[in-house]
Amino acid sequence: MTKEEAQELVADYRRAALLHQQKEAKEEGDIQPLKPLTVKERKANEALYRKVGSEWMAKKALGLVLLAGGMGTRLGYDGPKGTLNIGETKELYIFECLFHNLREQLNIASACEGSSDVTPTDVPVCIMTSDKNDERTRDFFKEHDYFGYGQENIYFFTQEMAPACDYEGNLLMEDENTPATSPNGNGGWYSSMQKAGLVDILKGRGVSWLNVFGVDNVLAKIADPLFFGAVISSGKTSGSKTVAKKSPQEKVGVMCKKNGHPAIVEYYELSEEQAGARAEDGSLCFGMGVILNYLFRLTDLDRIAGEHMPVHLAEKKIPYMDGDGIFHKPEEPNGYKFEILITDLLAYLTDCLPYEVVREEEFAPIKNKEGVDSVESARELLRKNGVKL
Ligand code: UTP
């Protein structure tokens, strides 16, 4: 990206971000609860859902998209997050955990009565990287023989980059000729896949649904026939795995209905009253936290692809070179990065099934160096689920 292109992009993104902020401030939006399929409800129909999902998987209808283009700055690991070894007595990489989980679900689908074998050929995986981690991610998969999944069933594609600016909107430079750029958020994955020609390849393989998930949840159940079957059986056109909020104050985005569409509302957008409101059965009305595990139909994604999704300003510490050629690594945020978010995608859909899962079984995120959502907390959950570390 040249300096001139970057300057133009900064101006475009800033305009879009400010417009979005103004729109949000003006419209409060009609926020309503969206009823989830609870764990209890799902259990009553588990055999049917698993059968439906497994059959569709055997028919090659499902493809996976792993969003691994993030910088993982909070973790502070100097490499693609998925290449982090979290093992204690043996090597166990984050990517390895995810492919292990995937295999487990393919085995479940294969063992399902009435379904034929479901193999990696039936469920291709697309991995989104960014310019900052693409080469290292590809090399890592090659070194580990694609975790036995078959190189021909794994596709890599890169997301777009966005330039960063200071608080006044001036472009920040990495060096004299290179604008400071970073991945543009996890919301532009589908258009990046289209540009890479991957959507056509997937359609050619028979794929009509995508299961999209993040790199940092080492307990993520992906290609889960139960989830897939439940969404199809519900007649809804998309699905989102959710976990029950621990408390009304928990800082997590929750599923809701906004202006008639499914949506994810951030914790700070809910009033205290809304956050604490309870349904007749005692559950929180806005209590279904999202865990970045979605099912979308390709037909909907094709329709949405031309839309201009909202641009968000993220205040960050951005290393830069000043006019005198001195390089700075700020300790405090010094400007903005621009991001498009997958959570905004739902608003373009007609409906979505919130699908509740048991938190301790399916949610072990690795975000931070220590404490909450760290390697240590994820290890503990892996141990509880019988994973040898
Ligand atoms: P996060 O919101 O945790 O962002 O991403 P991050 O950049 O990885 O981490 P921090 O905030 O710097 O610590 C959630 C998921 O979205 C992916 C991440 O790789 C992760 O799977 N993501 C995020 C992208 O693929 N691209 C992006 O530009 C941002």
Side-chain angles (χ1 to χ4, degrees), residues 238-379:
S238 68
S240 167
K241 285 199 175 186
T242 59
V243 292
K245 263 172 92 163
K246 285 183 191 154
S247 72
Q249 290 77 33
E250 194 188 353
K251 292 183 175 167
V252 59
V254 294
M255 296 275 314
C256 69
K257 204 161 196 179
K258 192 172 176 186
N259 302 329
H261 289 271
I264 292 164
V265 60
E266 289 302 334
Y267 64 93
Y268 50 79
E269 294 176 78
L270 289 176
S271 66
E272 208 174 307
E273 196 184 323
Q274 283 170 320
R278 291 191 183 269
E280 262 173 31
D281 63 2
S283 63
L284 291 169
C285 293
F286 298 100
M288 287 294 135
V290 287
I291 60 171
L292 218 177
N293 192 333
Y294 301 103
L295 274 167
F296 300 116
R297 292 190 318 187
L298 284 177
T299 45
D300 294 310
L301 295 166
D302 284 337
R303 175 177 55 77
I304 297 165
E307 300 279 351
H308 288 288
M309 285 179 63
V311 175
H312 297 263
L313 290 174
E315 233 184 305
K316 301 266 179 176
K317 299 176 221 168
I318 306 157
Y320 70 101
M321 182 175 274
D322 67 20
D324 301 322
I326 300 167
F327 192 73
H328 300 265
K329 223 174 159 199
E331 301 279 316
E332 295 299 325
N334 60 323
Y336 296 121
K337 287 183 177 177
F338 299 96
E339 292 186 335
I340 300 169
L341 303 177
I342 191 170
T343 44
D344 288 324
L345 196 66
L346 267 65
Y348 298 91
L349 300 168
T350 44
D351 52 32
C352 181
L353 179 74
Y355 173 96
E356 189 194 2
V357 301
V358 179
R359 182 188 281 254
E360 294 71 24
E361 291 174 3
E362 295 203 29
F363 193 41
I366 297 180
K367 298 277 187 193
N368 304 310
K369 226 181 242 168
E370 289 164 352
V372 181
D373 299 344
S374 61
V375 172
E376 217 27 72
S377 63
R379 278 186 183 140

Side-chain angles (χ1 to χ4, degrees), residues 66-76 81-82 128-130 133 159-161 182-189 213-217 292 316 337-342 366-368:
L66 165 51
L67 303 178
M71 300 276 278
T73 45
R74 282 170 286 174
L75 187 62
K81 201 187 258 189
M128 183 165 85
T129 61
S130 81
N133 66 13
Q159 68 174 102
E160 268 139 64
M161 303 296 282
S182 60
N184 71 342
N186 60 15
W189 59 275
F213 58 100
V215 71
D216 28 40
N217 176 11
L292 218 177
K316 301 266 179 176
K337 287 183 177 177
F338 299 96
E339 292 186 335
I340 300 169
L341 303 177
I342 191 170
I366 297 180
K367 298 277 187 193
N368 304 310

Side-chain angles (χ1 to χ4, degrees), residues 53-170:
S54 302
E55 283 171 2
W56 279 63
M57 283 164 69
K59 280 193 284 184
K60 302 178 187 288
L62 187 68
L64 302 192
V65 182
L66 165 51
L67 303 178
M71 300 276 278
T73 45
R74 282 170 286 174
L75 187 62
Y77 166 65
D78 182 33
K81 201 187 258 189
T83 66
L84 177 67
N85 176 13
I86 58 166
E88 289 176 320
T89 61
K90 58 168 189 166
E91 288 177 7
L92 181 63
Y93 301 94
I94 292 184
F95 280 137
E96 189 178 0
C97 290
L98 295 173
F99 274 77
H100 169 83
N101 301 351
L102 168 56
R103 278 291 190 160
E104 240 174 31
Q105 294 305 311
L106 296 198
N107 291 341
I108 290 172
S110 300
C112 185
E113 208 193 312
S115 160
S116 33
D117 257 9
V118 182
T119 66
T121 319
D122 302 316
V123 189
V125 182
C126 300
I127 303 179
M128 183 165 85
T129 61
S130 81
D131 284 357
K132 305 266 181 194
N133 66 13
D134 184 64
E135 203 181 327
R136 280 178 296 171
T137 305
R138 287 177 195 248
D139 288 349
F140 182 82
F141 269 86
K142 202 166 174 193
E143 275 158 32
H144 291 86
D145 195 21
Y146 301 86
F147 298 107
Y149 206 75
Q151 184 179 0
E152 65 285 6
N153 301 315
I154 299 182
Y155 300 93
F156 295 92
F157 67 103
T158 48
Q159 68 174 102
E160 268 139 64
M161 303 296 282
C165 64
D166 65 17
Y167 290 123
E168 279 73 50
N170 303 307

